[in-house]
Amino acid sequence: MSKNSHRPSIALDVMGGDFGPPVTIEGAIRAAREVDVSLKLVGKDLEIREELEKYDLTGLDVEIIHADEVAEMNDKPSYILRRKKNTSIQIACNLVKDGMAHGVVSAGHTGVTLGCGIFSLGRIKGVDRPGLATVMPREGRPLILIDVGANIDSKPRHLVQFAIMADIFARTILHMESPAVGLLNIGEEQGKGNAQVNEAYNLLKNTSLNFIGNVEGRDVFGNGVDIAVCDGFVGNIALKLCEGLGKSFSKVLKKEIKKGILTRIGGFLARPAFRRLIKRFDYEEYGGAPLLGLKGAVIVCHGSSSPKSIAQAIKLAASLIKIDIVEKIKREIELHPEITRFYRLKNLLQSAGKSISTEDSQSTDETDETQ
């Protein structure tokens, strides 16, 4: 299957997520009716067929790919890769590897999806670590936070690679012109933070990105930064803190509105504003988080994703395929060889060669003096 074919082909891990086939298939059918995609539903054949009987598939390109096993949330990625090789997520990734699909969408175990993606699809040349990018709604245009959990420990050059990949995503998918890139840190001044972010700062300021320096956590929901870069440890905590704060605020607000007759009336009158607010900050509008840096479009959805979220994730994967995100990342990384491990290895070998050459020269001089 050509990667440039007109219709994107998406392999959906039907068994992934908290709710399984009923939700994932409903979302898949919704997406297929809204955009021109070919769907490969990967999972247990009988369960998929039972769900599909509920829908009119006229005009839809849907194929069932049977998978015997399911990756459970308590399964380690290494166990899945070595022992459970017929899981729906691994078969979905293999479809892309074998050229039978262009992208993968899964609401299953993030670590397993990452592991299967790396070992089945492989990384784009020059990319050391794939980065998980999430699009966070806010006042004005959305914020991209990368990495939000794919890499617990990241080297400075990895942060730069995340920034470059997120910049491409922002310009091509979110249509941002020259997105502002900030390094998430404990202070705005250069020199703040640990050695990791300080070295990353020096690397970022020498790229062609619109790098604005360090940004603090309190500033990311303003309009001064479009892409906030951090390692997966910090990013995952930041993301879940925001999710928890949003839920807590919603509960407190509802309790306060119900406390008296005047607040109830005010709440009723403000319902249109609340609906607009909920829609603006609805994470499901973006479906899932793209795992950037792999040789294929991979979207990771929340485990509790609704049919709407699954549909949006499939549409996002189709968009990434249409713009050929893999080729765009590859070309951009090639423009920054200094942030790749190949460049560093080359420098190490050259330095070692010079050292050996110098030692040989000194040894020759000493021999000549002895003679």
Side-chain angles (χ1 to χ4, degrees):
M1 177 184 291
S2 171
K3 290 188 177 182
N4 295 318
S5 61
H6 176 68
R7 176 181 290 174
S9 178
I10 312 295
L12 174 64
D13 174 14
V14 172
M15 312 308 294
D18 298 341
F19 309 116
V23 167
T24 53
I25 290 178
E26 182 182 342
I29 300 303
R30 184 183 298 187
R33 286 173 178 164
E34 295 176 4
V35 294
D36 186 22
V37 293
S38 171
L39 291 175
K40 298 191 182 301
L41 306 179
V42 187
K44 295 183 178 180
D45 186 279
L46 289 178
E47 292 186 35
I48 295 174
R49 290 186 186 279
E50 286 179 6
E51 286 300 319
L52 287 179
E53 287 178 359
K54 301 175 183 178
Y55 303 96
D56 179 9
L57 303 181
T58 304
L60 303 184
D61 186 356
V62 179
E63 180 183 358
I64 299 173
I65 306 293
H66 179 64
D68 292 317
E69 299 174 296
V70 178
E72 306 294 345
M73 293 306 292
N74 59 347
D75 286 336
K76 292 184 178 180
S78 57
Y79 177 76
I80 295 292
L81 292 167
R82 293 172 185 169
R83 302 293 179 87
K84 293 176 72 173
K85 296 187 177 182
N86 290 318
T87 57
S88 52
I89 181 57
Q90 196 156 2
I91 290 176
C93 287
N94 284 337
L95 289 173
V96 179
K97 176 186 176 182
D98 297 336
M100 298 180 69
H102 301 128
V104 176
V105 172
S106 176
H109 193 308
T110 301
V112 171
T113 304
L114 174 64
C116 291
I118 290 175
F119 285 95
S120 294
L121 308 182
R123 293 167 292 212
I124 297 169
K125 184 179 179 181
V127 175
D128 295 342
R129 304 272 185 90
L132 193 60
T134 189
V135 182
M136 303 180 71
R138 59 179 178 175
E139 184 182 9
R141 58 189 189 180
L143 169 78
I144 299 172
L145 181 64
I146 185 172
D147 174 37
V148 292
N151 307 280
I152 300 303
D153 279 320
S154 299
K155 295 181 179 178
R157 69 175 186 274
H158 300 155
L159 299 185
V160 183
Q161 292 174 9
F162 298 159
I164 289 172
M165 293 188 291
D167 177 76
I168 295 169
F169 178 80
R171 287 187 285 107
T172 56
I173 298 298
L174 301 180
H175 308 294
M176 295 182 184
E177 186 176 349
S178 188
V181 178
L183 191 59
L184 196 58
N185 204 341
I186 59 172
E188 294 180 359
E189 302 85 358
Q190 184 176 357
K192 283 289 186 74
N194 56 22
Q196 176 206 48
V197 294
N198 273 289
E199 186 178 340
Y201 187 106
N202 292 326
L203 290 171
L204 281 165
K205 71 180 183 180
N206 291 318
T207 65
S208 59
L209 299 171
N210 179 19
F211 179 57
I212 61 170
N214 293 324
V215 292
E216 295 184 71
R218 65 186 177 190
D219 298 323
V220 296
F221 285 101
N223 291 318
V225 61
D226 298 307
I227 299 168
V229 181
C230 57
D231 63 36
F233 183 81
V234 172
N236 191 263
I237 291 174
L239 176 64
K240 290 179 179 176
L241 180 63
C242 290
E243 288 178 352
L245 179 62
K247 291 178 181 178
S248 178
F249 178 79
S250 178
K251 288 180 181 178
V252 171
L253 182 62
K254 287 178 180 178
K255 285 182 180 179
E256 290 298 320
I257 288 174
K258 293 178 180 179
K259 280 188 174 180
I261 185 65
L262 291 178
T263 54
R264 284 175 180 270
I265 293 172
F268 177 78
L269 294 175
R271 283 175 68 183
F274 288 146
R275 289 195 191 101
R276 291 194 298 271
L277 185 67
I278 290 170
K279 184 176 181 180
R280 173 177 286 186
F281 288 93
D282 184 9
Y283 75 92
E284 291 187 339
E285 289 292 325
Y286 303 101
L291 190 54
L292 303 173
L294 295 176
K295 294 178 181 177
V298 179
I299 307 296
V300 179
C301 302
H302 198 286
S304 59
S305 290
S306 66
K308 176 185 175 181
S309 187
I310 297 295
Q312 293 298 101
I314 291 171
K315 291 194 284 185
L316 176 58
S319 296
L320 292 174
I321 292 162
K322 286 179 179 178
I323 65 164
D324 200 354
I325 190 72
V326 172
E327 185 60 30
K328 280 181 167 56
I329 290 174
K330 180 182 176 182
R331 288 202 302 264
E332 197 66 31
I333 292 292
E334 286 174 349
L335 297 176
H336 299 86
E338 71 279 1
I339 62 166
T340 67
R341 66 180 184 274
F342 305 110
Y343 181 87
R344 294 170 68 89
L345 179 60
K346 180 181 176 182
N347 282 349
L348 286 172
L349 291 173
Q350 287 178 342
S351 298
K354 288 178 181 178
S355 177
I356 293 171
S357 178
T358 302
E359 290 176 2
D360 289 344
S361 177
Q362 290 175 348
S363 178
T364 302
D365 291 342
E366 289 171 4
T367 303
D368 290 341
E369 289 175 2
T370 303
Q371 291 176 343

